[in-house]
Each structure stands twice: as C-alpha cells, then as structure tokens.
Amino acid sequence: MATLSFSSLKPNTLFSSFLFPSKNISSRPIIYTLPDRNTPPLTFSAAKRPPAASATNSSSSVTVETVSPENDDNSTVFVIRARNRTGLLQVITRVFNILGLSVEKATVDFEEDYFVMTFFVTDSRGNKIDDQKSLESINKALIDAIDGDDDAALSVAPSDRGVVVRKPRLDFGERKGQAERMLGLMDVFLKNDPISLQKDILHHVEYTVARSRFSFDDFEAYQALAHSVRDRLIERWHDTLIHFKKEDPKRVYFLSLEFLMGRSLSNIVINLGIRDQFADALSQLGFDFEVLAEQEGDACLGNGGLARLSACQMDSLATLDYPAVGYGLRYQYGLFRQVIVDGFQHEQPDYWLNFGNPWEIERIHITYPVKFYGTVTDEFLNGEKCKVWVPGEMVEAVAYDNPIPGYGTRNTINLRLWAAKPSDQHDMESFNTGDYVDAVVNRQRAESISSILYPDDRSYQVALQLNDTHPSLAIAEVMRVLLDEEHLSWHRAWDIICKIFSFTTHTVSPEGLEKIPVDLLGNLLPRHLQIIYDINFNFVEELKKMIGLDYDRLTRMSIVEEGAVKNIRMANLSVICSHTVNGVSRLHSELLRTKLFKDFYDLWPHKFQYKTNGVTQRRWIVVSNPSLCALISKWLGTEAWIRDIDLLIGLRDYATNAELHQEWKMVKKVNKIRLAEYIEAMSGLKVSLDAMFDVQTKRIHEYKRQLLNILGIIHRYDCIKNMDKNDRKKVVPRVCIIGGKAAPGYEIAKKVIKLCHAVAEKINNDNDIGDLLKLVFIPDYNVSVAEMVIPGADLSQHLSTAGHEASGTGSMKFLMNGCLLLATADGSTIEMVEEIGQDNVFLFGAKAHEVVALRKKGPTLKVPLQFSRVVRMIRDGHFGFEDYFKSLCDKIEGTSDYFLLGADFMSYLEAQAAADKAFVDEERWTKMSILSAAGSGRFSSDRTIQEYAENTWDIQPCRCPF
C-alpha cells in the first residue's frame, strides 16, 4: 500500500480527495496521513463490506448500516451508501461532531457514482457505542442530514430574489478527471522562492491588472504585488476557517463602527513572514518594495484612537490564535481628506475606493435584509400573542471580507465589513412605473444608510464585544431576533443577552455619552424602541425592589431620559445588558466607578473591570521602524519579542552600553532624515537634524490642548527674540510638529489650526530665529503619515487636561519607538510612569483630583504673566487675523478657561525646560530613550486582548496547524 505524506498538502485536499477520488483508486488504495494526530487517516479501497442491519430512506437511496468491526473492539462502524456530491463529507462529519462523536478513521469504496463510506466511530470518552437506541438515533440523524441536503446542487440566491443557479452534474468519469486536474494544480501551497513570486506577480500584471508584462508602472506593479500576496493570505485564511469549523470553539464577535486599518501590504507580508522574499523578487524585476508599498492608499474607516485601537486588536486576536470575527461598516468614503488653504482647514471627500481595494473579497451572495420604519402589529402564534414588525423600507447589507493575518502563526481571521445596497424589490417597483430618477435617488439613499449586523445568534457559544456605545443597538436587534423570529420567552432571551454581551466604553464625561432621540428611534426602528422600553421597564421595577423609591437615582439610571427632548441613553442600555463593563485605563476605570457610572457600580461592582488599551508592536515597530526592529532583535538575540513583547524589558540590561547608544542614535538619525525629507517635500521648509523633533499629533480638540503647545511655542519665540546673541547660543533648537484634523463643524478647533499656521508663518520667516525654532503643521495626518512621524520624533507631547483622556494610545506608539514623553498625569500615562520610571517622563500640570478645585476658583485663579503676555500677542495681531482669533483668546482667559491652560502654563514651561536640559546631555537622553522602549511591553494590544479573552470573553486559543 502506497502512502502519500500530507506535509506538503493543503488541509482541504483531504476533502477534495474524498469527493473526487483518483482513477487509480480501484487498483491501489492510498492513505492520506495527516500531521494532526486528532484527524483520522482516510483509506480508499475497492473492497466491499458485508451488509448488516441498516436504516434506509426509500426516497433517496441513502442507507446507513451499523456493523461489527473485524479487528477493532473499541469503535463502532457506520457504513453509509449515498450518491456523491460536493459537501457530502462535511455533512457527515458535522453530524458526528454535533452528536459529540469522534471519527477514528474512515474508508471509502465506490459503486459507479455511489460511494460506500465506512466510519470507525467512538463516543466522547473513546468507547464503543453499544446502546441500540443511541445507534438508531445516530443512524436517523445521518439519513436526515444526508437526505435533507441532497439537493445541494441547487442554489438559490439570498433574500429569495428568484435567481436560481444550477451547478452542472458531471458523470462519474468527468468528476474523476476534474479531480485529478484540481489536485494536480492545488495540492500544495503557493511557493515563495524568487522565481515563483516573480511568475505570480507577472501573471497578475497580465491577467488581473490587464497590462503587458513588458510595460507596467509602479502602481500597476503594486496591484499585481498585492494580488500575489493576497493569494497567499487567502490560503491561510481558508485553512483557518476550516480549522475553526472542525474544532468549533467558542468565538468572539468584535463589533465596532470604526476600523482605522491604514495601509495593509507591509503589515501583511511581515505577518506572513515573506517580506524579504517579495523584496528580493521585486528587486530582480527592477522594482523597489518600499516604493510600491507607497502606492497603496490608506483605508481611513474611522476617526482617531478608538478606530486605530480596533485595528490593533484585530491584529492581536489573529496573532494570539483566538477564534474571532470583526464586524464593521464599509464606508464608501473614509474620514475626510484635510486640505490646508492659506492656513485654513478645508474638507474634501476621501475617495479611498477609487482605485479598488485588493485586500477585500466581495461576498455578493452573503446579504441580509436590513429593515427600517414601518409598524408593529400583534399576531397569534400557537395560541400566544406575539409582536410582528412590518417594515416600511428595506435595504440589503452586502458582506466584504478582509483577511487579517497573525504574526508567527498560520491563523488568519476575518474582518467582515458591511455595505448598504438598495433592495432589488424596491428598485424594480420604481422601474416598473418608469420612474428612473426615483430609483436612482432611492439607491443613493439606501447606500447612505449605516446599519449594524450581527453574527449567527442561534449559537450560544459566542461572545459579542461592543466597542463603545456606537454598536449598542445590536442588543435590541439580537433581542428582537430571539423574541420575534426564534420565539423564545422573554426570560430566556434576556438570559442569553446578559451572557453574551460585554461593553467597553471610551468616554470620560457625561456629555460624551451617546443618546438617541426617542422620536427618531421610534420612527426608524419602532420594534427596537418597544424592546428597549420593555427592557427599561423590567429593569426599573427590579431596581425599585433594591433601592426603593429613590426617584433621583431611578431617573439617573433609567435607559429613557425624560425632558424637552426624550432620549434613549445608549450607555445605560449597554451597562444594564452587558455582563462586563470595561474601562480602558486604571484612571478611566476609577472615573467610571466614582463619577460616570457610580450608580451602576454601587449596584453591580462585579461588572466593572479595566483593561488598559494597547497598540500592536507589529505595526508600530516592525512595519514603521524596521531599523529599530533589527537593532532590538540584535541586542536581545531573538525576534521572539515581536510576539512576546515582554522580552523588551531585556533592553534595560544594555541601557548604559556605549555601543548600543551609538547604534540607537544612528537609527534615530536615519528616521529623522526620512521625516525631514517629508517635511521639505510637503512644505518646502528645511529643518535641522540637530534640532529636537518635538511632535504633537492627534485629533484637534480643546481638551487635548494643542493650543497650549502653540502658546508655549509663542513664548519660546518671544524669549529668543529678546535674547542677545550669546544667550541664543545656549538655546536648544526645536522643530515643533503638529498634526491632526478638526471635525468639520468644530470652529474653535479650526481656529487652532489657523493659529498654528499664522505662528509658523511668522517664526519660519524670521531670520533672527533661523534653525533655533521651526513650526510645521502636517496636513491630512493618517496612519501612513504616523508610521513616518513617530519613528522620527525625539519628544512627544500629550497635553490633555487631567481626567479627560480615557487612555491615549498615541503615547504608546511613541513610547515603543523610544520617544520621550512630555505629558500630564492623564489616561494611561500614569501606568507608563510606573513602567519606565518618573525620571524618564516629563510630567506637568494639575492632577485629575485637583482639576475640579481649580475650576471652582474661577476668576480668582491667578495665571502667570508669561501666559497673559502670549495671549496678548495674539489679541494684538502680532500674528495677524486679530478679529478672527478674538473668540479663541476669549475661550482661554478668565472664567472661560475650562481646560485650565493658564493654570497649567507655568508647569508646562518648566517641563519644557527640563526636556531641553536632558536633550543636550546625549548620554542621558539616549538612556532615557532606551528605557522608554524597554518599558513599553505592557502597552501592547496583545496583553489587552489576552486579558479580554481570559477575564471577559472566556475564549481559548484555537491554533491552526501548519
């Protein structure tokens, strides 16, 4: 008997072989030996087995027999005779899995186009199944499953749209021939040697991009490269999904309305471990990998930290082998493109899909109806009254799958994004009346709708994670499905809801909590509003039993907010219905317990946890800073830190090593050169590499206090202008870099951007200042720009008024890259100080517990003269536009200074002076930089996800075998 090793075969080859046997099957049986010891070998043999007691379905010629094995006393043998078809093996094995049975081995015989399949089966304890009643039940389940799926060749498109696709039936000889061809072409994984990669790239140039392989440009080369990478990504993705199906683990479904993925190419090839191979192959074709990677556009499907956090967590879920699926929305337009004209922000649409997205797979056959408007009626079902929602409008949600690979693992999980499309039925009605314009308008209207879709809710072995309150309508939707479609009792449905949902909030103030007007929700989703009212009624009634008639507290905790405008408090809904409520830093958790959700914490203290946010080192060191990545690996003697980032702490042993210092400074200089070249290309401004690159990049907001940074720059400029030449020689040169977008309707934030440009215009053109001070605003800041800015930064500013930043993941990215932090004691900064030591951070400003007292002082609060002077310079038109900036100055003087810029200004200047002093001491600065990177391991999203998996979701890794 010949044996074929399975080590070079794709796992799904087993299924292909079972369904399409080789023509040599009758003459020589083949055993496929799998490396996974839990998977039985499959033997093909022409030998026939004797008949035995059987169960038969007369309508389909399906028989199941139970026989006694000749040489095996530990298993029960099931012999199944059925017509072969695609998917038959999966149907049979699924039945055994559902019944908790294990298949030890299997053989297959054939009779014309019928297969006789023999399975050696044991129960969950590895014992033979002897009970006659159990055997009959198993036989019946097998027949029901096989016969019920017998028309697998007939496929009807989703939503009953009447499109029928029939797969051609091949005769047995044709199927065998087809199988041989398929196996010959697809029984091994795609190769990664230079010749194979070059062939694949050129193949995609000619057949995917439709260009001549003798004439194509960088963008076309990028497209071909991306599709070649995607081929290899999809192999792993399919294998992972098959493995998850086989193992059937509890899964987590991560719901977020924002995923800020950025570019994907570099991250994917690094996680797949084939970056160098592709770079070499491209080099031989005359292309540079880095140049082609720059051709990719950013997928900006989100705004700021929460969205980027979601992307980092998907990377960690894949890397740590957790069975997970991300769900979000496929926005046609990303976050707006920021264009600066004369220093003013202008918004333009981000047409990120104009040139296609090679990383997504459109699943036009996976659609779900999403219903809106309409009415709710009462109907009787089995003698019981039930609610029926009759929607007034419906759109189709179409799935787009985005494979997310893990690092150092075969696991590749799925991020499924949904796009809204018009219902075909609605369009046909419009066209039947000849109203073409109305059909177009309805299509545009449908495609503008954002909707939350949920995974299969019929399996209770799931965990649904709400990333902030944006997807919290999923609670009402799952409840609706369980009540109205599955017809569960309220008690049973509520019990399921409270077990599967967990909630992470990123909000720090009551004003930031999401609310939906009742009138809007009642009009748009009437049944969901009914369910929310019922949830609230039951909750309030139970609450009265616990706290009595404390109406103030009952009012605060109610999901429904009464008032001139009646609202649904989505945060209250999420807290009530989730088994766990997570903060995103220790300080944030304290704010949730003592302020934001104090009433709920007093009621359910066991619900409240915190898991400090993290970012992925794969993106923020390996991809964005390859020189530092190589240096770290060299000194640690391993690349294992890329998966186990706690190993970074080993850098502490070399923090004073002169050789490491020299190499560390060289890496920083290379990154500063790259950033300086970008600044010059973007703005025409040349900056000195000897200067401290001082960076603040984040969403423009009053609480993030970019204005404090600009006021400090004005003060520095004013001081330099008033120095004599000898004193100027002592000034530490600075390149101050600010970047970020202001929300389109946020006028104060837009004025901060204009002020930054006005100050830069003054400073950068002052010959007295020269290279001592430069100010640069980076427009349209996004993930790709961040990958260049962060490695090149010496100092990073995080200036939020204490108590206003939930976590602050931006500081973690800078920390990993050895950038020193100048920050308030806010968000996760407090925990960073614990990891790297207070001597390695420049802290300033009021603490969170001091902010309330400072605000109460109001007009009696004294501000330093330096602060008053720089504000006066702006008011007096020193930088022009005095009328335009008047309201900006009014916001930060007297009782209007809510975010305490004046109160913190002196402390801020002292921290800046401390940074100057440290920077001129190269040895001290480099040591601080090394210790910052060494202490950043705690702030990896790997750690965050592991804590969620163990403490919130209760899921286990499910590693796909290589």
Side-chain angles (χ1 to χ4, degrees), residues 801 804 850-858 897-900:
T801 308
H804 284 76
E850 300 170 334
V851 167
V852 175
L854 287 171
R855 283 174 176 156
K856 286 181 179 178
K857 291 185 178 180
D897 189 13
Y898 182 79
F899 293 105
L900 303 178

Side-chain angles (χ1 to χ4, degrees), residues 719-720 722-732 772:
C719 289
I720 295 173
N722 289 289
M723 287 179 183
D724 59 34
K725 291 184 178 181
N726 290 328
D727 287 336
R728 287 182 184 175
K729 294 178 181 178
K730 302 175 185 177
V731 172
V732 176
L772 293 180

Side-chain angles (χ1 to χ4, degrees), residues 674-864:
R674 184 173 64 147
L675 178 53
E677 289 174 348
Y678 174 78
I679 290 171
E680 184 175 3
M682 177 267 300
S683 66
L685 182 67
K686 290 187 176 182
V687 297
S688 171
L689 296 176
D690 295 326
M692 178 198 297
F693 280 22
D694 173 2
V695 176
Q696 186 186 20
T697 49
K698 52 186 74 231
R699 179 166 47 95
I700 310 296
H701 199 289
E702 289 172 272
Y703 89 81
K704 294 180 182 289
R705 300 201 294 189
Q706 285 90 351
L707 184 52
L708 178 61
N709 189 357
I710 296 171
L711 295 178
I713 292 168
I714 295 173
H715 172 75
R716 180 178 288 263
Y717 169 68
D718 188 42
C719 289
I720 295 173
K721 284 289 286 184
N722 289 289
M723 287 179 183
D724 59 34
K725 291 184 178 181
N726 290 328
D727 287 336
R728 287 182 184 175
K729 294 178 181 178
K730 302 175 185 177
V731 172
V732 176
R734 289 231 190 171
V735 176
C736 299
I737 300 168
I738 296 177
K741 298 178 180 180
Y746 196 173
E747 287 302 319
I748 290 297
K750 287 188 168 183
K751 289 187 176 184
V752 170
I753 291 174
K754 175 58 182 175
L755 178 62
C756 180
H757 283 86
V759 173
E761 181 73 17
K762 187 78 170 181
I763 294 174
N764 297 342
N765 293 295
D766 192 327
N767 293 329
D768 291 341
I769 302 300
D771 286 337
L772 293 180
L773 184 63
K774 297 293 183 186
L775 174 56
V776 180
F777 185 90
I778 294 183
D780 204 33
Y781 189 74
N782 56 28
V783 175
S784 298
V785 176
E787 290 173 6
M788 180 164 43
V789 171
I790 291 172
D794 293 305
L795 182 73
S796 176
Q797 299 198 40
H798 304 272
L799 312 180
S800 57
T801 308
H804 284 76
E805 191 74 84
S807 175
T809 52
S811 56
M812 301 171 185
K813 302 164 192 173
F814 284 97
L815 194 72
M816 284 182 177
N817 283 270
C819 180
L820 274 58
L821 305 182
L822 190 151
T824 53
D826 197 22
S828 56
T829 301
I830 298 171
E831 295 162 68
M832 292 182 187
V833 172
E834 294 174 356
E835 293 298 310
I836 66 176
Q838 189 163 342
D839 292 341
N840 297 308
V841 183
F842 305 106
L843 289 175
F844 79 97
K847 307 295 190 293
H849 67 276
E850 300 170 334
V851 167
V852 175
L854 287 171
R855 283 174 176 156
K856 286 181 179 178
K857 291 185 178 180
T860 64
L861 184 64
K862 293 183 179 180
V863 297

Side-chain angles (χ1 to χ4, degrees), residues 544-600:
K544 288 177 183 177
K545 297 176 184 177
M546 291 183 277
I547 68 171
L549 299 180
D550 183 344
Y551 289 108
D552 286 341
R553 187 175 177 189
L554 289 170
T555 299
R556 292 194 303 268
M557 298 179 72
S558 171
I559 297 173
V560 182
E561 179 186 57
E562 304 291 344
V565 177
K566 202 171 185 179
N567 291 307
I568 298 299
R569 296 167 169 147
M570 303 309 291
N572 287 22
L573 174 67
S574 300
V575 172
I576 291 166
C577 299
S578 297
H579 58 78
T580 307
V581 179
N582 284 285
V584 292
S585 70
R586 186 194 307 154
L587 177 60
H588 184 226
S589 178
E590 181 66 20
L591 292 172
L592 297 183
R593 296 196 303 267
T594 60
K595 294 183 179 179
L596 202 64
F597 297 136
K598 182 180 185 304
D599 291 319
F600 292 102

Side-chain angles (χ1 to χ4, degrees), residues 362-624:
E362 183 181 21
R363 301 297 198 188
I364 58 174
H365 61 290
I366 301 178
T367 68
Y368 288 90
V370 183
K371 305 165 187 176
F372 299 95
Y373 306 109
T375 58
V376 180
T377 62
D378 291 330
E379 293 187 4
F380 284 89
L381 179 68
N382 297 327
E384 294 185 5
K385 187 168 70 173
C386 60
K387 299 290 185 183
V388 176
W389 177 23
V390 182
E393 185 173 318
M394 185 174 72
V395 300
E396 294 288 340
V398 179
Y400 288 78
D401 287 342
N402 299 258
I404 308 294
Y407 178 88
T409 176
R410 190 159 192 82
N411 281 43
T412 299
I413 61 175
N414 192 27
L415 170 60
R416 174 162 286 179
L417 302 179
W418 298 94
K421 306 291 183 182
S423 167
D424 285 357
Q425 180 180 1
H426 185 89
D427 274 2
M428 284 303 298
E429 291 173 356
S430 297
F431 278 103
N432 287 340
T433 61
D435 191 352
Y436 171 77
V437 174
D438 182 54
V440 173
V441 169
N442 284 324
R443 171 174 286 275
Q444 293 173 338
R445 184 164 177 257
E447 291 176 352
S448 70
I449 294 173
S450 295
S451 175
I452 299 166
L453 292 169
Y454 46 87
D456 184 358
D457 52 272
R458 289 171 292 180
S459 170
Y460 303 149
Q461 288 300 306
V462 298
L464 297 179
Q465 171 66 35
L466 300 174
N467 193 27
D468 221 341
T469 55
H470 311 312
S472 54
L473 272 174
I475 294 170
E477 171 66 348
V478 174
M479 194 72 178
R480 183 192 69 80
V481 171
L482 295 176
L483 291 173
D484 299 353
E485 297 183 13
E486 299 297 328
H487 304 295
L488 270 64
S489 68
W490 178 275
H491 176 78
R492 180 67 180 124
W494 177 247
D495 182 60
I496 293 170
I497 290 290
C498 293
K499 288 179 178 177
I500 64 175
F501 278 103
S502 56
F503 168 51
T504 298
T505 178
H506 301 260
T507 310
V508 295
S509 64
E511 297 78 16
L513 295 175
E514 184 182 10
K515 300 174 185 177
I516 300 179
V518 165
D519 289 344
L520 171 63
L521 190 58
N523 183 41
L524 190 65
L525 298 170
R527 179 59 178 138
H528 297 72
L529 180 61
Q530 282 186 348
I531 290 171
I532 291 172
Y533 270 132
D534 289 342
I535 291 173
N536 192 54
F537 176 80
N538 292 335
F539 166 68
V540 171
E541 290 302 305
E542 287 298 315
L543 189 58
K544 288 177 183 177
K545 297 176 184 177
M546 291 183 277
I547 68 171
L549 299 180
D550 183 344
Y551 289 108
D552 286 341
R553 187 175 177 189
L554 289 170
T555 299
R556 292 194 303 268
M557 298 179 72
S558 171
I559 297 173
V560 182
E561 179 186 57
E562 304 291 344
V565 177
K566 202 171 185 179
N567 291 307
I568 298 299
R569 296 167 169 147
M570 303 309 291
N572 287 22
L573 174 67
S574 300
V575 172
I576 291 166
C577 299
S578 297
H579 58 78
T580 307
V581 179
N582 284 285
V584 292
S585 70
R586 186 194 307 154
L587 177 60
H588 184 226
S589 178
E590 181 66 20
L591 292 172
L592 297 183
R593 296 196 303 267
T594 60
K595 294 183 179 179
L596 202 64
F597 297 136
K598 182 180 185 304
D599 291 319
F600 292 102
Y601 176 75
D602 291 342
L603 184 66
W604 297 313
H606 62 278
K607 275 193 180 187
F608 287 79
Q609 302 176 359
Y610 82 90
K611 294 163 183 65
T612 300
N613 279 343
V615 299
T616 170
Q617 63 273 21
R618 267 85 58 186
R619 169 75 69 163
W620 297 109
I621 302 180
V622 183
V623 172
S624 65

